[in-house]
Amino acid sequence: MTDFSPVTADDRFASRQALIDRYTNLIPRHILGHYPTPLLYANRLSKELGKVELWFKRDDLISFGFGGNKIRGLEVMLADALSQNADWLVTGAGAQSNHVRATAAVAAHAGLNCTAVYWGKPPASVDGNFRLCKMLNAHFHFTHDDDRASVDSHILLVADKLRQQGRQPYPIPRGGACAMGVLGHVLAVFELYRQCLDQGLEPDAIVLAVGSGGTYAGWLLGIRLLNLPWKMLCYTVSREPEQVSQQVAGLATEAAALLKLDWTFSANDAPIYGGFIGQGYGIPSSEAAAAIKRVGRAEGILLDPVYTGKAMAGFLSGLQNNYFESYKKIVFIHTGGEPAFFVGTGDWLDDGHTASE
Ligand SMILES: *Cc1c(COP(=O)(O)O)cnc(C)c1O
């Protein structure tokens, strides 16, 4: 079934490389991490699972600002912001957002100000990503509204106010989900493709945790650009699957337009698995706790309870139910998120506990 091209003197390889060169040149990027991030075979875990060979793409090891997938999107947004002479990044999400922490680090590095817009009220304890944002000197703005979507209008309000004060704000949508950011994840697809060629790996499927959808949109667009036979196995950790598929398709379409491609993605192009959110976004589930322990104890690789732990729980359940029988080689994108380990008491990891804030 696979038409994945081999390493040498192959037409499709040549044309894929030409596409990579062309689109890499079109995408502005202010590189902050060291790439490629490692692509590592999970020897003990694969043996234990028995059914598939599993690799981890270690975007948790992106060497900037505690890493994670958000850095890739921000590298493109920063290049765009600097080209517009922006002096202030404004973005938002929840107080434990990896995206906001990554944005605060990017702003610090570039000598820009940063305002973090958080839904709800200031949290009782200053830990995890929120602690890091404080240390990085981000300005905070709380919406005092528990609706997560309240962040969207407040980001625009904060940006307007800054403009009135003579500043040049660069607003970044909640979670970093915007067409510019999507392009950063297209570059991740190029990176993994090159790495697979070098390692002689022909993956059948890619596993990804999905929040606001920008990362998945980039993978969809990148895979279509290179015409790769990779299937995406994606797990939503926050919204309902139908809503996420719409959002991802819209973002992929917008990002394609930035590359002057008149391509439309529909929700059908962006399938997503539900059922592993547990009690809600950001609340650890017992399945995620079990998956985190399993991966940690087999490989010494640390997944997070908000994103990758839930995606791994979904993937392991799918494996157990024989959903993926045609897939033999699988790459799990480790998108980061470890600061969540340092929030609260961590009692969700104890056996017998199902969930806690
Ligand atoms: C944000 C995030 C994701 C999901 O990325 P989206 O682009 O929001 O879908 C996955 N894993 C981690 C650790 C994240 O911080």
Side-chain angles (χ1 to χ4, degrees):
M1 62 164 271
T2 170
D3 68 350
F4 190 94
S5 53
V7 182
T8 49
D10 176 303
D11 283 352
R12 274 169 304 158
F13 167 62
S15 64
R16 278 187 180 138
Q17 189 55 50
L19 287 166
I20 288 175
D21 292 344
R22 174 147 148 236
Y23 287 107
T24 301
N25 281 328
L26 279 179
I27 298 173
R29 187 187 197 190
H30 188 102
I31 296 179
L32 298 169
H34 288 85
Y35 301 100
T37 57
L39 174 62
L40 301 175
Y41 182 56
N43 185 40
R44 273 169 39 82
L45 185 61
S46 298
K47 269 201 191 118
E48 229 181 87
L49 296 172
K51 297 175 176 173
V52 290
E53 293 178 86
L54 190 66
W55 279 258
F56 283 93
K57 172 71 171 157
R58 301 291 307 273
D59 273 7
D60 58 319
L61 298 182
I62 286 177
S63 56
F64 180 83
F66 226 119
N69 60 328
K70 299 305 185 308
I71 302 294
R72 290 188 185 272
L74 285 164
E75 289 179 333
V76 176
M77 289 183 248
L78 176 60
D80 188 44
L82 294 176
S83 78
Q84 296 175 23
N85 295 317
D87 60 8
W88 206 300
L89 303 184
V90 182
T91 196
Q96 284 305 333
S97 163
N98 296 309
H99 161 69
V100 171
R101 174 256 308 159
T103 306
V106 167
H109 176 85
L112 309 177
N113 287 291
C114 177
T115 297
V117 176
Y118 295 127
W119 52 266
K121 296 189 182 59
S125 50
V126 181
D127 48 16
N129 282 311
F130 185 49
R131 180 183 293 170
L132 291 170
C133 283
K134 200 160 183 179
M135 182 278 290
L136 289 164
N137 216 18
H139 302 254
F140 296 136
H141 173 104
F142 289 89
T143 70
H144 292 271
D145 180 339
D146 283 339
D147 182 2
R148 282 191 269 150
S150 63
V151 164
D152 301 346
S153 59
H154 281 253
I155 288 175
L156 300 178
L157 282 175
V158 168
D160 276 346
K161 211 162 169 192
L162 286 167
R163 248 176 243 116
Q164 282 162 22
Q165 294 165 1
R167 295 296 193 156
Q168 305 268 22
Y170 185 88
I172 298 172
R174 180 158 49 114
C178 61
M180 269 293 163
V182 167
L183 297 180
H185 303 292
V186 168
L187 295 173
V189 178
F190 295 173
E191 179 181 309
L192 180 61
Y193 169 70
R194 288 287 337 178
Q195 224 167 3
C196 286
L197 281 181
D198 291 344
Q199 297 191 20
L201 168 61
E202 299 182 9
D204 301 304
I206 309 293
V207 184
L208 183 68
V210 178
S212 52
T215 308
Y216 186 8
W219 280 83
L220 274 189
L221 179 53
I223 284 174
R224 190 183 284 188
L225 271 170
L226 298 186
N227 191 25
L228 295 168
W230 301 350
K231 291 282 176 288
M232 293 298 295
L233 307 177
C234 295
Y235 294 86
T236 177
V237 304
S238 56
R239 303 157 214 228
E240 287 308 309
E242 303 71 35
Q243 198 193 340
V244 188
S245 293
Q246 285 290 351
Q247 160 110 344
V248 169
L251 284 166
T253 303
E254 275 180 58
L258 287 180
L259 298 178
K260 312 250 181 324
L261 295 165
D262 190 14
W263 289 358
T264 310
F265 291 80
S266 72
N268 288 337
D269 297 320
I272 184 137
Y273 292 102
F276 293 91
I277 298 175
Q279 288 181 28
Y281 171 72
I283 304 174
S285 67
S286 52
E287 292 102 320
I292 288 169
K293 285 189 264 193
R294 186 160 189 193
V295 172
R297 291 167 191 182
E299 295 292 336
I301 289 177
L302 312 173
L303 299 179
D304 81 289
V306 181
Y307 292 94
T308 53
K310 288 182 179 176
M312 182 57 83
F315 172 66
L316 292 178
S317 154
L319 260 191
Q320 190 156 29
N321 291 314
N322 298 317
Y323 289 174
F324 312 131
E325 283 189 319
S326 52
Y327 307 145
K328 293 295 164 229
K329 299 186 179 196
I330 303 211
V331 178
F332 185 100
I333 311 298
H334 187 164
T335 43
E338 289 94 332
F341 259 98
F342 310 109
V343 177
T345 60
D347 63 350
W348 54 270
L349 269 170
D350 300 343
D351 296 311
H353 281 262
T354 48
S356 71
E357 275 286 353

